[in-house]
């Protein structure tokens, strides 16, 4: 067995163990427990990791500076919600409009195939969210992909704001519910499985598996011939065009693929949040993903995953006590002096941490390398320190 196959088997085993651990934690941790934030951060971190990787595919591997991720996530979230609300509940959601979409994929397939059909309906809605987002990206890409650098960033950012305004438009109320939230669709709490007399909760595991599967597809794409073309465009567009590469075609392809997975991330975010409102998808959300890929390393997929997890865990859980000055450890509350610890202080500390990371890791935590590179490098150092056979330690 060669080293590549051994590494793949090791990675597969570690993923299986990780998902098994998450399934176990979901059954043990209650919503009111101290560690409930762990599951919440895992769900949110998985969604952010997927969107950050899809953004890195565009910004890091193709060299297109796009800032339209919030708008594409909005399309994905709304598409999933619209096609997942049960028909008998739509009247209570569309209180000011007569809804025009009269189908719910989880409900239709669930009535035919039971619980398996409900899960299939959810997957159909998620894939549809990605497809519609990719179609919107194709139309947006027709004019904006003629631009470069900062002009492309400004154009995509502008289109993201236009998308948000369109979804808030009252004329589209029968579809988008206008400025009112969409709710009562399939959420993380609905992902359960009956095993004998036990009901397993699988909300966190489901989101993590879908996000991991999408990231795996992106990894395959990056390592394919298309991925090499994207990297050639990033390095030198003139040289790539001289080699016979159709720049506009491959830019459009990268833009649509990235948007597809961003739309899937928006659908997963809707599943996690339980409600969808256009006002939540502000430009600041795009800046968070840009921060994540810079923190993890532009051009590194595993760096985007690590950066997303660190960003979510630090901002949502580990530093939250800085806002109140109250720490809870193993059921015991510790109250710190409130002269410094007040609302918003965690953002100040988090900003300082980000500045330190940028100063000491100019290319991000992972640079443009992946986890296997650092793992093999660590093994080489360990093997180099071991004495050879017949040699003494002295």
């Amino acid at each position: 067995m060669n080293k590549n196959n051994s590494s793949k088997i090791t990675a597969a085993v570690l993923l299986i163990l990780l998902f098994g651990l998450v399934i176990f934690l979901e059954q043990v941790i209650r919503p009111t427990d101290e560690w409930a934030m762990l599951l919440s951060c895992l769900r949110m971190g998985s969604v952010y990791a997927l969107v950050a990787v899809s953004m890195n595919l565009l910004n890091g591997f193709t060299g297109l500076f796009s800032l339209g991720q919030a708008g594409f996530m909005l399309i994905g979230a709304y598409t999933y919600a619209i096609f997942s609300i049960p028909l008998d509940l739509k009247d209570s959601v569309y209180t000011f409009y007569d809804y025009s979409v009269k189908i719910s994929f989880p409900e239709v397939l669930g009535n035919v195939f039971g619980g398996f059909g409900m899960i299939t309906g959810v997957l159909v809605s998620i894939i549809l969210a990605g497809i519609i987002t990719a179609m919107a990206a194709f139309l947006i890409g027709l004019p904006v992909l003629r631009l470069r650098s900062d002009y492309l960033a400004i154009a995509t950012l502008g289109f993201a704001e236009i998308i948000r305004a369109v979804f808030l438009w009252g004329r589209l109320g029968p579809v988008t519910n206008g400025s009112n939230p969409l709710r009562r669709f399939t959420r993380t709490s609905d992902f359960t499985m009956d095993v004998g007399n036990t009901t397993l909760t699988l909300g966190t595991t489901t989101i993590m598996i879908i996000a991991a599967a999408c990231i795996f597809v992106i990894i395959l794409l990056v390592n394919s011939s298309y991925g090499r073309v994207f990297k050639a465009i990033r390095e030198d567009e003139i040289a790539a065009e001289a080699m016979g590469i159709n720049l506009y075609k491959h830019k459009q392809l990268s833009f649509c693929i990235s948007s597809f997975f961003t739309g899937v991330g928006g659908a997963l975010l809707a599943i996690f949040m339980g409600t969808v409102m256009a006002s939540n998808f502000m430009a600041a959300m795009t800046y968070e993903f840009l921060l994540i890929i810079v923190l993890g390393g532009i051009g590194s997929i595993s760096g985007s995953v690590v950066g997303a997890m660190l960003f979510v865990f630090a901002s949502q859980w580990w530093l939250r006590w800085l806002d109140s000055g109250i720490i809870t450890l193993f059921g015991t509350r510790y109250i710190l002096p409130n002269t410094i610890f007040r609302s918003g202080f965690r953002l100040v500390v988090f900003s300082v941490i980000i500045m330190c990371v940028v100063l000491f890791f100019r290319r991000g935590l992972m640079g443009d390398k992946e986890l296997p590179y650092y793992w093999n490098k660590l093994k080489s150092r360990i093997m180099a320190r071991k004495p050879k056979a017949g040699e003494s330690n002295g």
Side-chain angles (χ1 to χ4, degrees):
M1 184 181 297
N2 56 40
K3 291 184 178 180
N4 289 335
N5 291 335
S6 177
S7 300
K8 292 178 181 177
I9 293 175
T10 302
V13 171
L14 290 176
L15 279 177
I16 292 173
L17 292 176
L18 173 62
F19 290 134
L21 177 61
V22 174
I23 292 174
F24 171 76
L25 292 175
E26 280 198 274
Q27 315 316 312
V28 174
I29 298 176
R30 304 294 179 187
T32 56
D33 290 347
E34 175 186 343
W35 289 91
M37 278 299 297
L38 171 63
L39 299 178
S40 179
C41 288
L42 284 175
R43 291 192 290 268
M44 187 174 180
S46 300
V47 176
Y48 270 50
L50 172 58
V51 179
V53 170
S54 66
M55 186 177 185
N56 211 348
L57 173 66
L58 192 62
N59 292 24
F61 289 96
T62 315
L64 300 177
F65 189 25
S66 171
L67 294 177
Q69 274 63 32
F72 294 135
M73 286 188 72
L74 185 151
I75 296 175
Y78 266 81
T79 302
Y80 171 80
I82 290 168
F83 288 98
S84 298
I85 302 174
L87 294 182
D88 57 341
L89 298 178
K90 286 201 172 186
D91 283 328
S92 62
V93 176
Y94 290 84
T95 54
F96 300 100
Y97 303 96
D98 294 326
Y99 61 89
S100 58
V101 178
K102 303 183 183 298
I103 186 172
S104 171
F105 290 115
E107 182 182 34
V108 171
L109 296 178
N111 292 335
V112 177
F113 302 105
F116 175 77
M118 187 273 289
I119 296 176
T120 305
V122 169
L123 292 177
V124 170
S125 300
I126 291 174
I127 294 173
L128 183 62
I131 292 174
I132 292 179
T133 305
M135 292 171 61
F138 176 80
L139 297 176
I140 293 173
L142 292 176
V144 303
L145 290 180
R146 308 288 182 182
L147 305 173
R148 294 185 181 183
S149 187
D150 298 342
Y151 300 101
L152 175 62
I154 295 172
T156 51
L157 181 63
F159 269 105
E161 292 299 308
I162 292 173
I163 291 171
R164 186 166 60 86
V166 168
F167 274 76
L168 290 171
W169 188 29
R171 292 288 184 88
L172 289 179
V175 178
T176 64
N177 206 21
S179 59
N180 306 296
L182 291 176
R183 50 193 175 83
R184 311 196 75 171
F185 46 82
T186 305
R187 302 163 298 173
T188 53
S189 58
D190 298 322
F191 292 101
T192 58
M193 178 183 295
D194 293 328
V195 180
N197 297 326
T198 305
T199 301
L200 298 180
T201 303
L202 300 174
T204 304
T205 308
T206 302
I207 290 180
M208 291 184 66
I209 289 177
I210 295 175
C214 293
I215 292 174
F216 178 71
V217 173
I218 295 176
I219 292 174
L220 294 179
L221 175 65
V222 168
N223 293 320
S224 68
S225 58
Y226 286 101
R228 290 190 287 272
V229 170
F230 295 157
K231 294 175 185 177
I233 295 174
R234 176 194 63 188
E235 296 300 328
D236 193 328
E237 289 190 8
I238 298 176
E241 190 173 21
M243 293 171 61
I245 295 175
N246 189 326
L247 293 182
Y248 180 78
K249 172 187 172 182
H250 288 90
K251 284 181 180 181
Q252 185 73 277
L253 181 63
S254 176
F255 192 60
C256 291
I257 293 174
S258 173
S259 301
F260 172 86
F261 289 109
T262 302
V264 172
L268 294 180
L269 185 65
I271 295 174
F272 164 62
M273 295 178 63
T275 59
V276 175
M277 290 186 65
S279 57
N280 292 333
F281 295 87
M282 305 290 289
M285 179 177 286
T286 300
Y287 302 148
E288 289 180 350
F289 296 120
L290 182 61
L291 172 63
I292 287 171
I293 64 174
V294 171
L295 177 64
I298 298 178
S300 172
I301 293 177
S302 53
S304 296
V305 175
V306 172
M309 288 297 178
L310 289 176
F311 175 83
V312 171
F313 273 82
S315 61
Q316 301 296 322
W317 187 17
W318 294 339
L319 300 180
R320 185 173 288 273
W321 60 274
L322 293 172
D323 286 352
S324 60
I326 300 175
I327 305 176
T328 303
L329 295 175
F330 304 105
T332 304
R333 299 182 67 186
Y334 300 92
I335 301 178
L336 303 176
N338 60 357
T339 54
I340 299 179
F341 304 101
R342 51 186 77 233
S343 179
F345 186 60
R346 66 183 165 118
L347 298 179
V348 177
V349 175
F350 186 68
S351 300
V352 173
I353 295 174
I354 294 299
M355 290 175 60
C356 293
V357 172
V358 172
L359 287 174
F360 292 100
F361 298 90
R362 296 295 179 89
R363 302 182 63 187
L365 295 175
M366 306 286 291
D368 59 352
K369 302 295 190 296
E370 305 294 345
L371 280 176
Y373 169 82
Y374 292 102
W375 173 249
N376 293 330
K377 191 174 181 180
L378 178 61
K379 287 198 301 183
S380 300
R381 289 185 177 180
I382 294 175
M383 295 300 295
R385 292 181 180 179
K386 287 185 178 181
K388 298 180 180 180
E391 294 183 0
S392 63
N393 293 330

